[in-house]
Amino acid sequence: LTEAPGDDDLFISVGDAPWIHTADIDTSKSPWESYRIRIADGRIWIVGRDTANGEQTDQGGTSAGTRNGVMTFLEEQLGVRWLMPGDRGDVVPKHNTWAVEPMDRADRPGFENRRLPYIQNKRPDVKQWCERQKLGYSLQLNHFHNWRRTVPRELFDEHPEWFAMRNGQRIPPIGRYKLETTNPDLIAYY
C-alpha cells in the first residue's frame, strides 16, 4: 500500500505504515526484533520493531522485526524455504491460489544474538541467506582470540607447563597456539 486503505480494501501491509492503528498494532514498546502478524477480514498486517538505518538498540545491536515477520509469514503460510545461500537453495512452492486463516501472532527470536561467524558473511548471497534465516542481533557481543595478548609467547621459557603438550613434549608457541587450560597456575595468572 502507498496510501491509506479504504474500508473495503483487501491488502497486505508490511512495516510501520500510518494506518496500522486500524489493526490496533503498536510495536513501539515491543521487544527488539519482535514482530506481529495479524490476518483479519481479508487484510494482512506484518509489522515489527525496527531500528532505522544507522540507529542502534540500547545494547549496541540492530533490530529487523518486520523482516523477521515477513520471513515467518513466507515460511509458515506459503512454505518458502531457504536451505543454503544462492538460488539453488531457494524452495518456493508454486501456488495458483492460497488462503490464510485469521490470526494474531506476536513473536520474537529466542536469542538476542544469532550470528554465524566465518561463513563468508560479506558475500551478498550469504548475507541475504542470513537475513532470511532471521539471523541478527539486538545485543552486540564481541569475541576474539586473545590467548596471545593475555599469555604472550615470551612466557614459554619461564612457564612451559602453561603451554600445550604433544607426544609428551611442550610445544613452543607459534602462530595461534594452545594453552594448558587445566593448569592451576595458568588459571590464576589469567
Side-chain angles (χ1 to χ4, degrees):
L1 289 173
T2 56
E3 56 187 45
D7 290 340
D8 297 324
D9 288 343
L10 307 178
F11 62 82
I12 298 175
S13 178
V14 177
D16 192 14
W19 49 83
I20 63 171
H21 70 279
T22 63
D24 193 28
I25 296 175
D26 178 12
T27 61
S28 64
K29 293 182 175 63
S30 299
W32 290 115
E33 301 188 87
S34 65
Y35 58 88
R36 187 162 170 197
I37 301 171
R38 181 150 190 248
I39 303 172
D41 304 320
R43 298 173 173 202
I44 300 172
W45 292 270
I46 304 173
V47 63
R49 185 151 183 220
D50 303 317
T51 51
N53 287 338
E55 181 183 285
Q56 292 184 330
T57 67
D58 50 349
Q59 295 177 309
T62 59
S63 181
T66 298
R67 184 186 68 217
N68 292 339
V70 168
M71 296 306 131
T72 298
F73 180 84
L74 292 173
E75 289 173 348
E76 294 180 0
Q77 300 298 321
L78 299 176
V80 177
R81 298 288 182 268
W82 301 279
L83 304 176
M84 65 182 189
D87 294 342
R88 291 184 180 180
D90 295 353
V91 176
V92 183
K94 302 229 183 295
H95 299 278
N96 290 329
T97 62
W98 56 274
V100 292
E101 295 297 319
M103 71 181 295
D104 193 353
R105 175 181 177 182
D107 206 350
R108 70 176 178 161
F111 294 94
E112 294 177 339
N113 190 302
R114 304 162 318 285
R115 294 187 283 177
L116 295 173
Y118 315 116
I119 61 166
Q120 301 176 351
N121 302 71
K122 293 186 180 183
R123 282 182 29 194
D125 60 334
V126 173
K127 183 178 179 191
Q128 182 182 55
W129 180 82
C130 288
E131 291 171 352
R132 290 173 170 176
Q133 300 304 313
K134 298 179 269 190
L135 300 181
Y137 59 98
S138 57
L139 168 64
Q140 172 67 39
L141 297 175
N142 294 317
H143 56 88
F144 53 91
H145 299 276
N146 66 354
W147 290 132
R148 290 179 282 172
R149 292 181 184 174
T150 309
V151 184
R153 70 182 76 236
E154 294 79 28
L155 291 176
F156 180 78
D157 292 335
E158 186 178 345
H159 299 285
E161 71 279 6
W162 289 4
F163 295 82
M165 182 184 291
R166 185 183 303 147
N167 297 327
Q169 300 283 327
R170 294 291 170 186
I171 304 167
I174 299 172
R176 281 191 183 169
Y177 50 86
K178 305 288 184 188
L179 296 173
E180 181 56 62
T181 58
T182 61
N183 182 293
D185 293 333
L186 174 63
I187 292 169
Y189 176 82
Y190 196 82

